[in-house]
Amino acid sequence: NPAGAHPSGKMGEDPDGVPNNLMPFVAQVAVGRRPHVTIFGNDYDTPDGTGIRDYLHVMDLADGHVAALRHLDGGKGHSKLNVFNLGTGTGYSVIDMIEAMGKAVGRPIPHVIGPRRPGDVTIYMADPTRAKEEMGWEATRNLDDMCNDLWRWQTMNPNGYLKE
């Protein structure tokens, strides 16, 4: 799951309407646009009971795409189509993400527990081993980077991008 923003704070995710992804929603709560985050279920078989996902900084995702293009253009043996998982290989729970954003913001993020959503799985993570072995790519940014960069973008753009 991509998360974060450009470190300059000039580019970030600005979904129309209610965000479908966790971190833009959390950022909107942090900046005061929404009252709280609803956590969909806290009875999963995980340490804190919430779902676990592999979150990847958007800049690492961009670097991964550049690495894939270079790999395709790399000459002998690299001209065929390949599939690579881009991720950290590390899972964070919904609670982990909310608490990490609270650390970046400097205060707790309000949240409530709601019912599970149909179709949500307990754990969903990438295995980036092949990307590292064949393209030399691996994520270099961490959870704090994701949240700090996202918070920088959200505070510079509290209402998102200006619509004309």
Side-chain angles (χ1 to χ4, degrees):
N1 291 351
H6 191 274
S8 69
K10 294 180 180 179
M11 291 188 295
E13 187 173 356
D14 183 24
D16 287 333
V18 178
N20 288 322
N21 296 327
L22 176 64
M23 293 312 288
F25 199 102
V26 173
Q28 288 184 9
V29 170
V31 81
R33 286 175 58 187
R34 302 190 181 281
H36 62 267
V37 177
T38 299
I39 298 172
F40 297 108
N42 67 345
D43 59 347
Y44 289 93
D45 187 16
T46 63
D48 66 18
T50 65
I52 292 176
R53 302 289 180 270
D54 186 344
Y55 290 89
L56 176 66
H57 196 294
V58 295
M59 297 306 296
D60 281 326
L61 180 60
D63 291 344
H65 284 105
V66 170
L69 290 170
R70 288 188 176 137
H71 181 75
L72 280 172
D73 196 34
K76 186 176 182 181
H78 296 294
S79 60
K80 65 180 182 173
L81 178 65
N82 286 302
V83 176
F84 297 96
N85 288 317
L86 300 181
T88 64
T90 301
Y92 296 104
S93 74
V94 175
I95 294 284
D96 290 336
M97 298 303 290
I98 292 170
E99 289 178 351
M101 191 64 177
K103 178 181 170 189
V105 171
R107 64 181 181 283
I109 305 296
H111 59 277
V112 298
I113 304 298
R116 283 187 182 201
R117 294 181 301 190
D120 277 352
V121 297
T122 302
I123 299 173
Y124 195 77
M125 296 185 342
D127 179 355
T129 304
R130 186 169 178 218
K132 183 175 182 181
E133 290 173 355
E134 294 186 30
M135 297 192 307
W137 176 89
E138 65 182 322
T140 60
R141 295 157 185 93
N142 62 32
L143 181 56
D144 287 339
D145 296 328
M146 286 182 243
C147 293
N148 288 330
D149 291 345
L150 175 57
W151 184 235
R152 184 175 305 108
W153 180 85
Q154 191 68 72
T155 56
M156 290 174 66
N157 304 276
N159 296 308
Y161 295 114
L162 295 176
K163 311 279 192 270
E164 293 186 26

